[in-house]
């Protein structure tokens, strides 16, 4: 025991001397401190940005159009209605559970607890769930609504209020002032960033945009191939690194330069999945954005969140928002049994709206988010 | 944002100080806090209910009201129950009587199946098996290529008869693979399947077909530690759809608390067998229920830290050092480099700091401290003359300039290190000399068990794991070492340890010396930080709080 204790003291001491900083953490918890300050003054990123970057990348074998038959994807409008069919597959409808609870004869404390619990099982989170339940309770009391239709309307408006009905959810994908719109796709590992990039490219082409893809995921094996496969199907070209382990910022930069040169409407940049806890990787992401901005402003930063994500989703969103200023959320895999309630917490706390939802594995299963349809689908 | 369960419970119980018994209302308040803590850790609601019922029963008993510190006692109960459930049925991989042993992976999209396949293959290979990877994910574009690349990195052959991207029959590929493995004399086959949703009947049928065609000895369900309340539905859907014999938990290197682990084990009764915690192929290991329990409760992972420290540290050297410190002699820069080398053996400093309780909250800051900082510190000390190391007081301006030139850092960084060192030295002296250690034996509850741990630690360090060389042997050694002291011993040791932390915080060992159980571990960091104020070095006036030398550098991930 004594040995373990000594070791611990020594470890802590040695680390403190060497690193100097880390004990600060325990004394001054993070409130008010953001990720950026210590890292930032270190200004110009070490690796070669723009200039030398050109050599690192190469536009992927041109004109795939000639090789494979290019599909003409359908436009993206009206896709959201499919959600109802998809959600119908999962029997655990939050909406119907809530409705039946609210339609009970007596609404006692226990019932309100149950309502709160139903919301919690949708990953809404403990605090927002409690607040929603309280809101509903007040409204029911004040309005004295008891019939099914009335309760349904109440629930609908509450859910809509939580989702922010009037939020601007349009995607900024139109070119402006001679430069294409730049969309950066970010998120933790395995949420479906590459798939989202591919599907979004399809949807944009379906909406008569011209699209260039940038495969800035230089880390995961075969990620660039995966993106290119998506691109080739709809005739969007992919700018990718010509060697393994290239600097993602330089790939992104090249993609945007290429996009400007060709005069495309939108450049979609797929980035590598990174856990928000890895500061080095988050810095790398910040750099990708900074470097791209030397060429053209980044119009959209889409955070891809998996609908199955629990309370950790909020932390992810918070960190990503700090680093790259997320402008919208893509909620993927909504066709499973997951309800994606975490987006309510995210929207409440960060004010970042859900802009797109992934409804399934089909290539056209990415839809612009419409809160009205979503709530209707939930309420069944 | 979230307080730890321990903080909350302490708050609940602080109102009870001085009262002899816990009332039913107190217990209820406690249970409410535990419930919220578990829900925030993403434990599924039905599981939370069952769990609370069990804990409540135990907490209502004498056990708690008789305890000196009810908050710690409740946490101890919660922790024990968690470990009980999580580790209820640990077991090893089942091997087929006639090779090849077939392992099939299944899970949702993006849970990490392909990566796990490669990690598992590497892990098995290091244990002397000859695994073969099978690409049966023909759905996702270029999943086959990904597996091929990963297989190459792991040094494991990949069987990929179909090109993928929607072309080919995964069932046939899986079936052929078993035959192929037999022919090529591989004793293990790992089948990577496509990601699928629990509600997707068609894909589930395909998974069943693969299962029936290959008769796997193990089906592993791969699940992301970040998953929320949906974990139970998904786990149940897969259990009904294909069935599985074990669970692999991935992405544990994030800050998700991983309550899903508890939900799945409790609801399906299938054990969690492996855990994956990093992007490198080596970041894969057997699942440790006790660590997961602390994680769900956000208690930190001190056990791992101590276990690793015991392995890496040369006990005799440490004892000599401690002796010197106790006798009032100083901690010199020579000791510092020596100990630094041992600290380095514990692995990347980021991981190390992450194991301290409360780390989850400070993770982003912690990870700014990188191994490069340690490199620099070492370089600085190594650029000093022996005389300077023994007696850093003589380091004046011109010596600093020389040292800075020698180690390739700025003069400011050298003075920073020296200042830090003096502060640290003072603190260590205060800790050891000021009656910290002599007080040790008085801590109750750490008699025989503790000594045993110490002894086995000494034994273990004798056969230190080789730094390089045959990885298989290294793995064997590591296993042997792990088998040493039982978890129980360690927990007990932790009890004493945390008591010490608390005691130090209170300015002496008198404090609340005999905190029972493990709960007190949570108090350690703060208390230590209080006790070692000097270690929280004041900013040195050059560039904000963080001296330039110690800023984290954005590290590029290196491929293996």
């Amino acid at each position: 025991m004594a040995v373990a204790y000594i070791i611990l003291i020594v470890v802590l001491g040695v680390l403190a001397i060497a690193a100097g900083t880390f004990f600060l953490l325990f004394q001054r918890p993070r409130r008010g401190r953001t990720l950026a300050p210590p890292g930032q003054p270190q200004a110009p990123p070490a690796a070669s940005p723009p200039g030398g970057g050109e050599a690192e990348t190469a536009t992927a074998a041109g004109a795939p159009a000639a090789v494979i038959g290019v599909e003409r994807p359908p436009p993206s409008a009206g896709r959201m209605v499919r959600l109802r069919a998809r959600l119908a597959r999962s029997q655990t409808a939050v909406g119907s559970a809530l409705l039946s609870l609210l339609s009970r004869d007596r609404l006692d404390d226990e019932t309100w607890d149950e309502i709160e619990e139903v919301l919690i099982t949708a990953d809404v989170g403990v605090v927002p769930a409690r607040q929603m339940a309280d809101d509903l309770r007040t409204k029911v009391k004040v309005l004295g609504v008891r019939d099914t239709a009335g309760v349904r309307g109440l629930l609908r408006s509450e859910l809509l209020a939580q989702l922010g009905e009037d939020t601007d959810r349009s995607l900024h994908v139109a070119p402006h002032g001679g430069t294409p719109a730049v969309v950066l796709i970010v998120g933790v590992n395995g949420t479906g960033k590459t798939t989202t990039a591919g599907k979004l490219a399809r949807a944009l082409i379906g909406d008569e945009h011209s699209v260039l893809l940038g495969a800035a995921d230089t880390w995961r094996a075969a990620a660039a191939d995966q993106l290119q496969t998506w691109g080739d199907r709809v005739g969007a070209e992919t700018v990718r690194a010509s060697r393994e382990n290239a600097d993602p910022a330089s790939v992104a930069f090249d993609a945007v330069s290429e996009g400007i040169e060709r005069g495309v409407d939108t450049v979609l940049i797929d980035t590598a999945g990174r856990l928000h806890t890895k500061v080095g990787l988050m810095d790398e992401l910040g750099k990708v954005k900074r470097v791209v901005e030397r060429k053209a402003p980044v119009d959209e930063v889409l955070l891809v969140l998996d609908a199955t994500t629990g309370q950790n989703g909020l932390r992810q969103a918070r960190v990503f928002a700090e680093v790259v200023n997320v402008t919208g959320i893509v909620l993927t895999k909504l066709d499973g049994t997951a309800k994606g309630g975490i987006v309510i917490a995210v929207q409440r706390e960060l004010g970042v709206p859900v802009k797109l939802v992934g409804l399934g594995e089909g290539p056209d299963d990415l839809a612009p988010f419409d809160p009205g349809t979503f709530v209707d689908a939930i309420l069944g | 944002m979230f307080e730890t369960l321990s903080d909350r419970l302490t708050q609940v119980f602080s109102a009870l100080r001085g009262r002899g018994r816990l009332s039913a209302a107190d217990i209820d308040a406690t249970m409410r806090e535990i419930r919220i803590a578990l829900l925030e850790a993403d434990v599924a609601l039905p599981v939370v209910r069952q769990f609370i019922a069990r804990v409540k029963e135990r907490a209502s008993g004498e056990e708690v009201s008789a305890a000196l510190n009810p908050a710690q006692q409740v946490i101890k109960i919660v922790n024990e129950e968690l470990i009980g459930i999580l580790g209820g049925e640990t077991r090893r991989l089942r091997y087929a009587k006639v090779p090849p042993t077939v392992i099939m992976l299944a899970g949702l999209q993006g849970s990490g199946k392909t990566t796990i396949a490669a990690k598992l293959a590497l892990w098995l290979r290091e244990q002397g098996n000859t695994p073969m990877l099978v690409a049966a994910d023909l759905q996702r574009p270029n999943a086959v290529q990904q597996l091929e690349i990963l297989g190459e990195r792991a040094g494991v052959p990949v069987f990929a008869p179909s090109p993928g991207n929607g072309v080919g029959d995964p069932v046939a590929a899986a079936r052929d693979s078993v035959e192929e493995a037999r022919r090529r004399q591989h004793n293990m086959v790992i089948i990577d399947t496509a990601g699928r949703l629990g509600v997707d009947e068609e894909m589930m049928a395909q998974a069943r077909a693969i299962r029936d065609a290959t008769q796997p000895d193990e089906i592993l369900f791969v699940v992301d530690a970040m998953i929320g309340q949906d974990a139970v539905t998904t786990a149940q859907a897969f259990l009904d759809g294909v069935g599985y014999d074990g669970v692999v938990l991935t992405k544990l290197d994030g800050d998700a608390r991983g309550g899903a682990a508890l939900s799945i084990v409790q609801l399906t009764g299938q054990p969690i067998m492996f855990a994956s915690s990093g992007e490198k192929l080596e970041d894969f290991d057997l699942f440790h229920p006790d660590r997961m329990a602390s994680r769900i409760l956000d208690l930190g992972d001190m056990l791992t830290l101590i276990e690793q420290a015991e392995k890496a540290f040369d006990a005799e050297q440490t004892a000599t050092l401690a002796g010197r410190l106790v006798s009032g002699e100083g901690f010199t820069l020579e000791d510092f480099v020596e100990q630094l080398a041992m600290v380095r053996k514990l692995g990347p400093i980021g991981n190390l700091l992450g194991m301290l309780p409360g780390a989850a909250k400070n993770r982003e800051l912690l990870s700014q401290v990188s191994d490069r900082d340690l490199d620099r510190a070492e370089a600085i000390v190594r650029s000093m003359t022996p005389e300077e190391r023994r007696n850093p007081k003589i380091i004046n301006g011109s010596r600093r300039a020389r040292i800075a030139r020698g180690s390739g850092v700025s003069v400011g960084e050298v003075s920073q290190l020296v200042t830090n060192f003096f502060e640290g030295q003072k603190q260590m002296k205060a800790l050891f000399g000021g009656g910290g250690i002599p007080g040790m034996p008085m801590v109750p509850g750490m008699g025989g068990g503790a000594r045993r741990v110490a002894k086995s630690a000494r034994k273990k360090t004798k056969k230190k794991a080789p730094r390089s060389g045959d990885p298989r042997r290294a793995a064997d050694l590591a296993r042997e070492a792990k088998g040493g002291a039982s978890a129980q011993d360690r927990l007990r040791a932790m009890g004493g340890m945390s008591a010490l932390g608390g005691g130090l915080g209170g300015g002496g060992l008198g404090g609340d010396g005999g905190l029972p159980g493990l709960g007190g571990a949570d108090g350690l960091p703060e208390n230590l930080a209080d006790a070692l104020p000097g270690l929280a070095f004041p900013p040195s006036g050059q560039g904000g709080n963080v001296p330039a030398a110690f800023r984290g550098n954005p590290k590029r991930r290196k491929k293996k």
Side-chain angles (χ1 to χ4, degrees):
Chain A
M1 181 58 223
V3 171
Y5 171 67
I6 294 165
I7 287 174
L8 192 77
I9 297 271
V10 171
V11 168
L12 295 176
V14 165
L15 290 178
I17 292 173
T21 58
F22 87 95
F23 265 113
L24 280 173
L25 317 172
F26 295 117
Q27 290 214 320
R28 210 179 305 159
R30 63 177 176 168
R31 198 163 290 275
R33 273 195 80 171
T34 61
L35 203 65
Q40 231 159 33
Q42 224 169 16
S48 73
E54 204 68 48
E56 275 185 11
T57 56
T59 311
V67 191
I68 324 157
V70 172
E71 297 169 50
R72 193 77 217 155
S76 59
R79 286 182 185 180
M80 186 81 189
V81 287
R82 283 182 220 164
L83 180 61
R84 187 188 291 247
R86 297 284 150 74
L87 284 186
R89 280 203 295 191
S90 53
Q91 270 111 48
T92 47
V94 183
S96 55
L98 285 177
L99 279 179
S100 73
L101 280 170
L102 281 169
S103 312
R104 278 193 192 166
D105 294 337
R106 261 190 76 235
L107 287 173
D108 49 14
D109 282 355
E110 218 165 275
T111 318
W112 287 109
D113 281 350
E114 275 180 61
I115 290 172
E116 191 186 309
E117 284 178 353
V118 171
L119 291 170
I120 287 173
T121 50
D123 286 322
V124 170
V126 180
V127 181
R130 184 162 295 169
Q131 201 182 331
M132 277 174 80
D134 287 347
D135 277 4
L136 277 172
R137 192 172 188 166
T138 320
K139 280 186 190 163
V140 167
K141 237 182 220 158
V142 171
L143 301 173
V145 183
R146 303 290 336 159
D147 58 308
T148 321
V151 166
R152 197 192 145 90
L154 212 57
L155 194 54
R156 188 172 189 276
S157 63
E158 176 67 27
L159 286 170
L160 276 179
Q162 290 292 338
L163 286 167
E165 201 175 2
D166 326 312
T167 327
D168 176 23
R169 295 174 195 277
S170 55
L171 271 183
H172 303 287
V173 288
H176 43 76
T179 55
V182 177
V183 181
L184 198 61
I185 296 172
V186 302
V188 300
N189 312 60
T191 50
K193 284 172 301 303
T194 307
T195 309
T196 300
K199 288 180 180 175
L200 184 56
R202 252 183 101 86
L204 289 174
I205 286 175
D207 293 342
E208 311 283 326
H209 284 79
S210 55
V211 175
L212 184 74
L213 292 164
D217 181 353
T218 51
W219 163 250
R220 180 161 62 92
D225 298 330
Q226 189 184 345
L227 188 66
Q228 198 180 342
T229 307
W230 276 104
D232 288 351
R233 286 184 193 160
V234 289
E237 291 199 14
T238 309
V239 174
R240 52 185 293 182
S242 55
R243 59 177 179 82
E244 256 192 38
N245 248 337
D247 180 7
S250 108
V251 179
F253 183 85
D254 289 345
V256 176
S257 317
E258 184 81 25
I260 294 172
E261 214 166 278
R262 296 190 185 200
V264 296
D265 298 337
T266 316
V267 178
L268 292 182
I269 299 168
D270 174 35
T271 64
R274 60 199 79 226
L275 287 175
H276 54 293
T277 48
K278 310 240 161 120
V279 172
L281 294 178
M282 293 309 286
D283 286 350
E284 177 190 275
L285 185 63
K287 177 182 160 192
V288 170
K289 190 177 178 227
R290 278 198 309 279
V291 169
V292 164
E293 276 169 345
R294 294 193 191 171
K295 208 71 189 168
V298 173
D299 300 84
E300 288 280 358
V301 178
L302 297 177
L303 172 69
V304 181
L305 270 186
D306 184 329
T308 55
T309 310
Q311 296 312 303
N312 196 241
L314 186 58
R315 296 194 193 188
Q316 292 173 20
R318 201 180 289 136
V319 177
F320 274 98
E322 266 172 28
V323 176
V324 287
N325 189 22
V326 175
T327 60
I329 292 188
V330 183
L331 190 62
T332 58
K333 308 181 203 173
L334 203 53
D335 50 336
T337 45
K339 292 106 190 165
I342 189 64
V343 295
I344 289 185
V346 171
Q347 191 156 325
R348 274 167 54 110
E349 182 138 337
L350 302 170
V352 181
V354 181
K355 290 194 169 173
L356 296 165
V357 281
L359 303 174
E361 294 216 72
D364 293 316
D365 282 339
L366 185 76
F369 182 72
D370 171 42
T373 323
F374 180 71
V375 169
D376 286 340
I378 283 184
L379 294 180
Chain B
M1 157 161 197
F2 306 125
E3 297 166 89
T4 63
L5 177 61
S6 158
D7 292 344
R8 286 189 166 151
L9 289 186
T10 313
Q11 230 168 3
V12 170
F13 286 113
S14 62
L16 316 173
R17 282 272 157 76
R19 254 191 282 162
R21 282 180 57 89
L22 292 178
S23 68
D26 297 334
I27 298 276
D28 280 346
T30 317
M31 293 307 130
R32 208 160 30 242
E33 294 300 335
I34 296 175
R35 175 172 175 272
I36 292 175
L38 292 175
L39 284 173
E40 274 170 359
D42 288 321
V43 181
L45 191 62
V47 178
V48 172
R49 284 207 202 105
Q50 289 174 28
F51 186 79
I52 294 289
R54 278 169 76 163
V55 173
K56 192 171 177 177
E57 200 174 308
R58 272 188 68 182
S60 316
E62 282 300 298
E63 225 176 328
V64 171
S65 34
L68 284 172
N69 186 334
Q72 301 299 346
Q73 191 65 30
V74 170
I75 290 175
K76 185 174 162 234
I77 294 175
V78 171
N79 197 53
E80 279 174 10
E81 288 286 327
L82 277 176
I83 294 174
I85 295 174
L86 288 170
E89 251 188 278
T90 40
R91 59 178 184 83
R92 298 184 162 259
L93 274 181
R94 271 194 297 259
Y95 288 81
K97 287 200 186 72
V98 188
T101 303
V102 180
I103 301 172
M104 173 179 163
L105 302 174
L108 290 175
Q109 290 94 340
S111 52
K113 287 174 298 304
T114 308
T115 312
I116 285 298
K119 286 183 175 181
L120 182 61
L122 180 68
W123 189 80
L124 289 169
R125 189 177 68 96
E126 284 182 346
Q127 303 200 327
N129 294 298
T130 51
M132 181 178 87
L133 286 160
V134 181
D137 178 358
L138 308 178
Q139 203 87 9
R140 178 161 62 89
N142 301 80
V144 177
Q145 277 88 326
Q146 188 186 352
L147 190 68
E148 277 172 345
I149 295 168
L150 290 174
E152 198 180 303
R153 267 182 227 161
V156 172
V158 178
F159 178 67
S162 312
N165 297 351
V167 182
D169 177 10
V171 183
R175 188 186 302 118
D176 295 347
S177 71
V178 181
E179 202 40 56
E180 178 75 11
R182 206 165 284 141
R183 205 171 55 74
R184 286 176 21 195
Q185 310 224 317
H186 288 291
N187 76 341
M188 313 246 13
V189 176
I190 302 166
I191 305 174
D192 174 35
T193 65
R196 62 203 77 221
L197 291 166
V199 289
D200 192 336
E201 202 23 66
E202 200 182 313
M203 288 296 284
M204 277 300 178
Q206 185 204 72
R208 274 196 296 277
I210 294 177
R211 179 193 66 192
D212 296 342
T214 55
Q215 297 293 330
D217 302 278
E218 291 277 3
I219 303 178
L220 298 178
F221 174 54
V222 183
V223 67
D224 183 330
M226 292 182 288
I227 194 169
Q229 296 283 332
D230 196 46
V232 280
T233 335
T234 306
Q236 194 61 46
F238 273 85
L239 194 62
D240 299 341
V242 266
Y244 47 85
D245 320 291
V247 180
V248 184
L249 208 57
T250 63
K251 300 184 205 168
L252 275 169
D253 46 338
D255 57 0
R257 306 256 291 275
L262 183 68
S263 312
I264 293 172
V265 174
Q266 173 82 336
L267 252 82
T268 65
Q270 300 296 346
I272 298 179
M273 296 178 66
F274 299 100
S276 148
S277 59
E279 306 215 14
K280 288 200 289 293
L281 287 181
E282 299 82 19
D283 296 331
F284 179 81
D285 202 358
L286 291 170
F287 176 73
H288 294 280
D290 44 346
R291 295 176 198 171
M292 194 67 217
S294 324
R295 184 181 180 122
I296 291 176
L297 296 176
D298 200 10
L299 291 179
D301 204 352
M302 298 289 280
L303 293 180
T304 317
L305 181 63
I306 292 174
E307 193 175 86
Q308 286 183 1
E310 281 175 352
K311 246 187 282 169
F313 274 61
D314 184 327
E316 278 165 42
Q317 211 178 358
T318 312
T320 334
L321 173 66
R324 278 221 312 279
L325 289 171
V326 173
S327 68
E329 280 173 64
F331 177 75
T332 67
L333 279 166
E334 271 168 354
D335 298 324
F336 169 69
V337 268
E338 244 170 46
Q339 299 301 324
L340 185 62
M342 294 195 194
V343 171
R344 296 300 292 272
K345 279 189 239 157
L346 298 178
I349 176 173
N351 292 357
L352 211 60
L353 297 177
M355 288 174 197
L356 297 171
K361 277 182 269 175
N362 297 305
R363 214 166 274 252
E364 57 216 42
L365 287 170
L366 285 179
S367 54
Q368 280 167 8
V369 181
S370 81
D371 286 308
R372 297 268 300 270
D373 304 332
L374 301 190
D375 287 339
R376 281 176 204 228
E378 192 177 339
I380 294 173
V381 178
R382 293 223 184 275
S383 298
M384 295 176 183
T385 64
E387 178 57 27
E388 283 165 346
R389 284 181 218 165
R390 271 192 300 274
N391 184 14
K393 286 202 181 81
I394 63 167
I395 299 178
N396 56 19
S398 73
R399 283 178 191 262
R400 261 198 292 277
R402 193 202 74 244
I403 295 166
R405 267 201 313 281
S407 52
V409 298
S410 72
V411 178
E413 287 169 57
V414 177
S415 7
Q416 178 69 41
L417 182 98
V418 175
T419 325
N420 284 355
F421 172 75
F422 283 133
E423 286 297 329
Q425 192 183 32
K426 223 187 287 168
Q427 287 310 319
M428 287 213 191
K429 214 184 229 164
L431 276 175
F432 285 100
I437 288 301
M440 286 286 293
M442 298 191 307
V443 178
M446 50 161 294
R451 227 161 282 139
R452 220 164 40 241
V453 173
K455 217 186 278 168
S456 67
R458 203 159 304 140
K459 236 186 288 163
K460 249 177 280 163
T461 40
K462 287 246 169 75
K463 41 182 176 181
K464 248 180 298 173
R467 238 178 274 185
S468 61
D470 188 353
R472 217 187 301 164
R473 205 176 117 68
D476 285 345
L477 278 177
R479 256 201 315 284
E480 240 172 77
K482 260 180 211 154
S486 74
Q488 211 51 46
D489 275 354
R490 265 142 216 279
L491 276 179
R492 209 156 350 132
M494 283 293 306
M497 180 99 161
S498 56
L500 219 120
L504 285 167
L509 227 107
D512 28 358
L515 294 194
L518 171 124
D522 190 49
L524 194 54
E526 273 159 321
N527 292 338
L528 262 185
D530 291 344
L532 313 174
L535 290 180
F537 303 99
S540 61
Q542 37 153 321
N545 286 333
V546 186
F550 308 129
R551 251 177 234 135
N553 296 315
K555 277 178 288 180
R556 281 290 307 165
R557 288 174 285 195
K558 290 201 191 78
K559 286 185 184 176
K560 196 210 141 183

